[in-house]
Amino acid sequence: NQTWDEFLEAVMTMLPVTGNLFLYGAAPIGFGNKIMDLSVMPSNITDVVVSNTTYEVLGYQTTLYGKTKIYNTDEVYHGKLYNPTISGLEGHRGMSPLQAAYASLDTDNQIFNAKRNFYKNNGTNGIISSGSDVSTLGPDEAKQLDEALRRRIGGSHKANSLTVTGANVNYTAIGMPATSMQFLESGDVTLRDLCMVYGMDSKLFGDPKASTYNNQAEAAKGVWTNCVIPYNARFVNYLNSFVTPGHSLADGKNYEIVFDTSHIEELQKDKKTEAEKNKIVIEGITSLVNSSLNDEAKVLMLTKLYDIEENEAQTLIERDEPEANTSEPIATNEGTNQEIEGENEEGETQPNNN
């Protein structure tokens, strides 16, 4: 069993990393086609069973701990990122975004290994040896010189200082030159490449040399708009194709799952700006419709300035036209009523001759 957060974590791991999302939906007995339980089938152990003749999907199978389980097509929903390769088209498999950045990913791994080996194998920067071609340093002399040298130049408080000795010695550098060490810094470049695949700024992942945003909120907003929301929109579409139809049919309603962004603080500023723009547009349309221009001019301006369809513009103008004047017939009715009332009064004042 998974919590909702664990389920979402599995979804947002499989789809962006592998390019495939396999959802298993269980409809218990007595619930018809209502899917009441969802789980994520790991993409790395799930295979698509394809016909050898028609290349249609026949089902799905998972293999774990040496055991294989078969699933029907109506039990599993397969969402995937587009894969234009021959193997992807024939095998009905999506393409991982990391596959497009494989060269950068492989380079990043190589740089990591190079750094590890560099620090492992190059702890000593150089060797001090005898400066004479005739006499050499014996083991005891070398040890004494090493201890004396450490006492004289060792310690952080002696960094960038000079040391003078009268001994006849040579120094041979064995460390990597500074120019050759520049490749170790190229890891920042591969980090940017990998972040670019998902539309995120590498600054959020510790890259100090990346192009900076105005503030941290703008960087976080970029993650939402360029990465999180597009992947969530895909996932919501998958649910509306796989889960909601059974519930809608059983309940006689039209359900739809929507992605709520009202709680995302980084996006609220944009919504406020959009609302202000909409208000200005509405005020402009209202002012134009109520203006003294003829209807033809109003329709032309509504279609050109506000990109409104001609029939919709005509509808707006017709709704704004004043109702026909009905004062005259009302006055006639009132006159008729007055005549009737007058006749009634006359009838009441006539004397009774009987």
Side-chain angles (χ1 to χ4, degrees):
N1 295 328
Q2 289 180 317
T3 64
W4 176 247
D5 289 340
E6 292 172 341
F7 174 74
L8 284 182
E9 183 180 5
V11 169
M12 292 306 159
T13 297
M14 290 300 167
L15 183 59
V17 174
T18 70
N20 295 274
L21 177 62
F22 296 94
L23 295 174
Y24 171 72
I29 298 175
F31 285 86
N33 293 326
K34 281 188 175 182
I35 295 177
M36 305 300 294
D37 182 70
L38 274 176
S39 59
V40 177
M41 301 164 59
S43 305
N44 53 323
I45 65 170
T46 303
D47 294 320
V48 182
V49 181
V50 181
S51 171
N52 294 328
T53 56
T54 62
Y55 297 102
E56 296 179 353
V57 177
L58 302 178
Y60 304 91
Q61 66 179 27
T62 57
T63 303
L64 187 64
Y65 302 118
K67 297 180 179 180
T68 300
K69 187 173 181 179
I70 307 296
Y71 300 88
N72 298 324
T73 54
D74 58 348
E75 294 179 299
V76 177
Y77 184 89
H78 180 199
K80 56 184 180 293
L81 304 181
Y82 182 68
N83 187 351
T85 64
I86 299 298
S87 60
L89 296 175
E90 292 181 348
H92 296 268
R93 302 286 298 196
M95 174 181 283
S96 167
L98 294 177
Q99 187 173 346
Y102 174 76
S104 295
L105 181 62
D106 183 63
T107 301
D108 187 69
N109 292 334
Q110 296 296 333
I111 291 175
F112 176 80
N113 291 332
K115 286 181 178 181
R116 181 181 61 182
N117 292 330
F118 173 78
Y119 290 114
K120 179 180 179 180
N121 301 325
N122 291 275
T124 302
N125 293 326
I127 298 176
I128 296 178
S129 60
S130 174
S132 173
D133 296 335
V134 180
S135 60
T136 59
L137 295 174
D140 293 338
E141 293 175 316
K143 183 178 180 181
Q144 292 176 1
L145 180 61
D146 180 58
E147 293 176 351
L149 185 63
R150 290 180 183 277
R151 288 194 299 269
R152 296 189 62 179
I153 68 174
S156 59
H157 61 286
K158 296 179 181 179
N160 202 31
S161 62
L162 297 176
T163 299
V164 179
T165 179
N168 186 14
V169 294
N170 286 333
Y171 174 78
T172 304
I174 61 174
M176 184 179 294
T179 54
S180 300
M181 291 181 62
Q182 291 180 354
F183 85 95
L184 296 176
E185 301 177 359
S186 61
D188 295 338
V189 178
T190 56
L191 173 62
R192 294 169 201 155
D193 292 340
L194 296 175
C195 289
M196 191 180 301
V197 170
Y198 294 102
M200 295 185 291
D201 183 21
S202 58
K203 177 189 176 185
L204 298 174
F205 298 88
D207 181 8
K209 297 180 181 179
S211 57
T212 59
Y213 284 81
N214 294 333
N215 50 52
Q216 194 72 11
E218 288 296 321
K221 171 188 166 186
V223 174
W224 280 103
T225 57
N226 299 332
C227 182
V228 178
I229 290 180
Y231 277 109
N232 270 277
R234 280 181 173 271
F235 176 52
V236 168
N237 289 336
Y238 298 160
L239 293 180
N240 283 325
S241 299
F242 185 49
V243 178
T244 57
H247 288 262
S248 298
L249 182 62
D251 298 345
K253 298 181 179 180
N254 187 20
Y255 293 121
E256 182 182 8
I257 300 174
V258 296
F259 179 47
D260 181 20
T261 60
S262 61
H263 64 287
I264 303 174
E265 182 179 353
E266 290 81 3
L267 303 180
Q268 301 314 306
K269 183 178 179 181
D270 286 348
K271 289 188 175 183
K272 181 179 179 181
T273 303
E274 183 178 355
E276 293 174 350
K277 290 181 179 179
N278 292 337
K279 181 180 178 182
I280 294 174
V281 171
I282 293 174
E283 291 176 350
I285 293 175
T286 304
S287 176
L288 178 58
V289 171
N290 294 330
S291 67
S292 59
L293 295 174
N294 58 53
D295 291 353
E296 184 178 353
K298 291 179 181 180
V299 171
L300 180 62
M301 295 185 70
L302 287 172
T303 55
K304 297 297 183 182
L305 296 180
Y306 297 99
D307 197 25
I308 298 177
E309 296 292 336
E310 185 174 349
N311 59 335
E312 295 177 351
Q314 190 65 43
T315 302
L316 289 174
I317 295 173
E318 291 175 354
R319 288 180 178 177
D320 188 66
E321 291 180 353
E323 296 181 358
N325 189 356
T326 58
S327 58
E328 183 174 349
I330 293 176
T332 302
N333 292 337
E334 289 179 353
T336 304
N337 293 335
Q338 291 176 356
E339 293 177 358
I340 295 174
E341 291 177 357
E343 293 177 355
N344 292 336
E345 291 177 356
E346 293 178 358
E348 292 176 357
T349 57
Q350 290 179 357
N352 191 348
N353 297 328
N354 294 329

